[in-house]
Structures are given as C-alpha cells and as structure tokens.
Amino acid sequence: MSELMHYASKYYDPQKAHEYYMRTRELKGRTSTAKLNDTGKEAAGYIKQQLLAEKKDKTRASFEKKIANLHDLRDYTKQVRKDEAEKQKQRIKNHAAAMKAKADSLRRSLDGLKGDARKQKAAQIKSQLAGMREENKKAHEKLAQEYKEIVADINTSYKDIAKDYSNEHKKNVAQYKQEYQTKYEAEIAKLNSDRSMQKVKKAKKGRRRR
C-alpha cells in the first residue's frame, strides 16, 4: 500500500478503507469514480462513509438542539400562562374588593337616616347598586377579553418561536447535505488527480503492416 502515501485526507484511513471496501464490494457506480483503480475505489467508498457519518452526527446534534429548545420553550410558555392566570385572578379579586367597598360605603350612608329621608336614600342606593352590578358585569367581560387576548398572544408567540426552531433545523439539514456533497466531490476530484489511484491504461496495439 505504499502508493496510498501520495493521498492524504482527514477522512481517509488506508486500513479502514480496505476493510470497508471488502465489506461493501458492490459499490454503487458513480461516473466520477469510474477511472479509479481498486485502491482508489476503496478510498472513495471509505471517504463517503466517513462524510455520511459526519453529516449524520451534525444532523442529530441539530435535531437534539431543536428538541431541547422546544422543551425549554414549552416550560417557559407554561409558566407564562400560569403567571398570567394568577394575575387575572388578582385583577378580578381587586375589582371585586373595590366594588364591595363602594357598595358598603353606599349602605353606610343610610346610617342615622329615618323616615322618608331614609326611604328616599334607600331608593337611590338601590338604583346605584343596580348600576354597579351592570358596571361590574361589563368590567368582568372586559377583564375576560383582555385575558383571552393575552393568552392568544402567548400561544401565537409559542407557535412562531417553535416554527423558527423547526425552520432552523431544516436549514441546517440542507446545509449539511450541501456540505457533504461539496466535500465528497472535492475528495473524489483529489483521488482522480492522483495517478496512484487511477486505473492503468492499457496500451493500444499497433496495426500490423502487410
């Protein structure tokens, strides 16, 4: 194997290349390797194996990164939803406390009143309380709508970010595929330019003169 010393590549190991070639003798034909001798084909097959393994490792790493990011995103989004739910409960609680305080204040205004004055004031308070109930209903509807919009924004952000992670992975996979092809073609070109890897051309026999 002294002729292998002429060819050098980080993807190439002569001994492993020969072992790989012996295991996979029925290599899929490629025009670019047609002019290579057995040693060259050994190198080409092994290099292809190494480059595919490199692409697979990069693809796996990108996929695992995507999964980890999505996991973190789910946890973060879950916590944000929980925090907003607690804030919503507190907003409703604060509103209810304010309405109760206002109603209690109105009722206390009856203290000390008697007769017609009390009846007249009681009628006013009854009307005011009815208005407050309507006001309270609208306030609750507003709070519910605002909360619904907040949750919708959170969900939209989650979907957008998750889509970005998926698109990033797809972009990486396409990039790794292109890198593999570029590297493989470059390595095959190097092999084809190395005479020790080329088939020995048979000399053409000259025509006999009569």
Side-chain angles (χ1 to χ4, degrees), residues 4-210:
L4 299 182
M5 298 301 292
H6 297 288
Y7 177 73
S9 170
K10 68 177 181 177
Y11 301 105
Y12 184 61
D13 180 307
Q15 182 60 39
K16 290 183 179 179
H18 181 67
E19 292 172 0
Y20 173 77
Y21 181 67
M22 294 303 290
R23 291 197 311 271
T24 58
R25 291 186 181 188
E26 295 182 5
L27 295 174
K28 294 182 179 180
R30 286 181 61 91
T31 304
S32 58
T33 62
K35 295 181 180 180
L36 295 176
N37 56 26
D38 287 347
T39 302
K41 288 181 179 179
E42 286 180 14
Y46 182 71
I47 288 168
K48 183 175 183 179
Q49 180 194 42
Q50 294 299 98
L51 288 170
L52 285 173
E54 181 182 71
K55 179 170 75 74
K56 183 179 179 180
D57 288 343
K58 287 183 177 181
T59 300
R60 184 189 299 111
S62 177
F63 178 74
E64 289 175 352
K65 180 182 178 182
K66 183 190 80 168
I67 295 302
N69 285 337
L70 288 174
H71 185 271
D72 290 343
L73 178 62
R74 280 194 293 269
D75 288 347
Y76 172 75
T77 303
K78 183 178 179 180
Q79 186 59 49
V80 171
R81 289 196 190 103
K82 183 178 179 181
D83 292 344
E84 285 300 329
E86 290 299 323
K87 289 178 183 178
Q88 177 70 353
K89 289 180 182 179
Q90 191 59 49
R91 285 190 287 265
I92 292 173
K93 184 177 180 180
N94 291 343
H95 176 73
M99 294 298 289
K100 184 177 183 302
K102 188 174 181 181
D104 289 345
S105 177
L106 287 173
R107 292 188 182 96
R108 282 196 299 272
S109 66
L110 288 172
D111 294 346
L113 296 179
K114 295 181 180 179
D116 291 340
R118 184 179 178 86
K119 289 180 181 179
Q120 186 177 2
K121 186 64 176 178
Q124 291 177 356
I125 292 173
K126 184 178 180 180
S127 177
Q128 288 176 299
L129 290 174
M132 286 174 61
R133 281 192 289 272
E134 185 63 27
E135 179 185 340
N136 185 52
K137 180 181 177 182
K138 290 180 179 179
H140 273 276
E141 290 174 352
K142 182 180 179 182
L143 287 172
Q145 182 59 34
E146 289 175 347
Y147 177 67
K148 184 178 179 181
E149 291 173 359
I150 289 172
V151 172
D153 286 342
I154 293 172
N155 292 337
T156 298
S157 295
Y158 170 81
K159 290 178 181 178
D160 289 344
I161 296 173
K163 186 176 180 180
D164 287 342
Y165 287 145
S166 294
N167 287 338
E168 181 183 9
H169 173 61
K170 289 179 182 178
K171 183 179 178 181
N172 288 340
V173 171
Q175 179 184 331
Y176 301 150
K177 184 177 180 180
Q178 184 58 49
E179 286 177 355
Y180 158 77
Q181 190 63 32
T182 300
K183 289 178 180 179
Y184 182 67
E185 290 176 359
E187 294 295 331
I188 295 302
K190 286 167 64 178
L191 286 172
N192 278 317
S193 66
D194 190 329
R195 288 187 178 182
S196 67
M197 299 291 183
Q198 298 171 4
K199 287 181 179 178
V200 177
K201 295 181 179 179
K202 294 181 180 180
K204 293 183 179 179
K205 294 182 180 181
R207 293 182 180 180
R208 293 181 180 179
R209 293 182 181 179
R210 292 182 181 179

